Amino acid sequence: MTPCSTDSSPSACLRGQDLWADIAAVRQASPLVHCIANLVVMQLNANVLLAAGAAPVMAHAHEEVADMTAMAGALVLNIGTLDPYWVRSMALAMQAAGSHGVPVVLDPVGAGATPYRNRTLEALLEVGAPAVVRGNASEIMSMSHAAVKTRGVESTAQAQAALEAARSLARRTGGTVAVSGEIDFVLDARGRQAALRNGHVWMTRITGIGCSLSALVGAVCAIQPDAWRATLAAMAWMAVAGEMAAERALAQEQGVGSMAVHLLDRLQLLTEAEFLQRLRWEAVPA
């Protein structure tokens, strides 16, 4: 089934070929993506963006974050390893993004785990509205003030359980919300919703895959002004590549360490035919 918006207009419906066109556009345009990422995942984020064809920059100095954001195609904020200096860097970058029309992707890593994380997210939402919020079910539920327990940065809830919270958050931001899990859900304030069923469980055993997915969402948002479509394309790209990477590792009697290398290879070398053959998605009733 082709995911469509609730207005049922033909122009609102997407095909797999449309998502592939966005992937190809990232490879062609090599957009600059400014990531204020956490210390654990910075290198993998950069390598994922490079494999995808984008150009990463990781800058957090107060003296340059605004200038760096102004020249970027997208800004990605990741709260995984917080401290007051970095929080201020994110606020300055978010202000610059608003001034220059740069789309912002917010990854609320560990939302709900501590009051400090929750206060930080509330403060960032007061600075500006992100085009996309992408997180696991617990993080999205926490941001919507739903009752949920978070274990460190790991989700304790299934993605489907977070759908109502995601809708509430999308209404608050006026943008797109993506919930990652065994099934990925992408919805927006206009009522468009889709489910993605690609991926592999081993993706949860490599540090930084989710954070790198948020960076990849930023890369597609840099070339595709429809944030919902951009998020779908990025999440499908990562999920199909991850699925293929796990299969290659298993076929060679390898584990998750080798899978991480295969994942970068598949992000770079994935073909249109492979993408369209494997893509599994569907519309989700509002």
Side-chain angles (χ1 to χ4, degrees), residues 1 61 88 105 111 127 151 155 161 170 190 210 253 260 270 274 277:
M1 183 184 298
R88 179 61 177 158
V105 178
V127 174
R151 186 183 66 180
S155 180
R190 293 170 52 189
E253 298 185 344
L270 182 68
E274 290 170 333
Q277 180 181 16

Side-chain angles (χ1 to χ4, degrees), residues 12-245:
C13 295
L14 290 179
R15 304 167 301 155
Q17 290 88 340
D18 299 317
L19 301 186
W20 179 258
D22 292 338
I23 294 171
V26 171
R27 291 173 169 177
Q28 177 66 31
S30 189
L32 180 67
V33 182
H34 181 195
C35 300
I36 302 182
N38 77 66
L39 296 171
V40 178
V41 304
M42 227 183 259
Q43 183 175 11
L44 182 58
N45 286 184
N47 283 337
V48 163
L49 287 171
L50 288 168
V57 61
M58 312 316 202
H60 62 270
H62 294 173
E63 293 80 1
E64 69 170 355
V65 287
D67 292 332
M68 200 67 77
T69 300
M71 69 177 71
L75 170 67
V76 181
L77 303 179
N78 179 310
I79 71 163
T81 52
L82 287 177
D83 70 36
Y85 189 95
W86 284 53
V87 172
R88 179 61 177 158
S89 298
M90 292 179 188
L92 291 170
M94 203 167 190
Q95 288 173 345
S99 298
H100 294 277
V102 176
V104 177
V105 178
L106 176 61
D107 191 329
V109 179
T114 65
Y116 181 46
R117 289 177 187 273
N118 297 341
R119 290 195 304 270
T120 296
L121 289 167
E122 287 298 319
L124 289 174
L125 290 179
E126 290 178 5
V127 174
V132 182
V133 179
R134 191 223 61 85
N136 63 39
S138 293
E139 291 161 351
I140 298 303
M141 292 172 74
S142 176
M143 285 194 69
S144 296
H145 309 294
V148 64
K149 292 181 179 180
T150 300
R151 186 183 66 180
V153 298
E154 300 299 328
S155 180
T156 59
Q158 296 297 316
Q160 196 155 5
L163 280 178
E164 187 53 46
R167 295 184 191 107
S168 175
L169 183 58
R171 289 191 294 267
R172 179 181 178 184
T173 63
T176 294
V177 176
V179 188
S180 295
E182 183 177 354
I183 302 172
D184 299 321
F185 294 95
V186 183
L187 53 90
D188 72 356
R190 293 170 52 189
R192 294 181 293 179
Q193 300 181 60
L196 294 164
R197 298 180 181 274
N198 292 99
H200 193 277
V201 67
W202 277 12
M203 296 174 76
T204 65
R205 299 176 67 179
I206 301 171
T207 297
I209 292 295
C211 299
S212 297
L213 172 56
S214 295
L216 192 61
V217 171
V220 186
C221 282
I223 57 86
Q224 172 51 253
D226 181 345
W228 181 75
R229 168 174 164 169
T231 304
L232 274 171
M235 294 186 73
W237 190 358
M238 178 68 85
V240 169
E243 190 175 281
M244 295 179 68

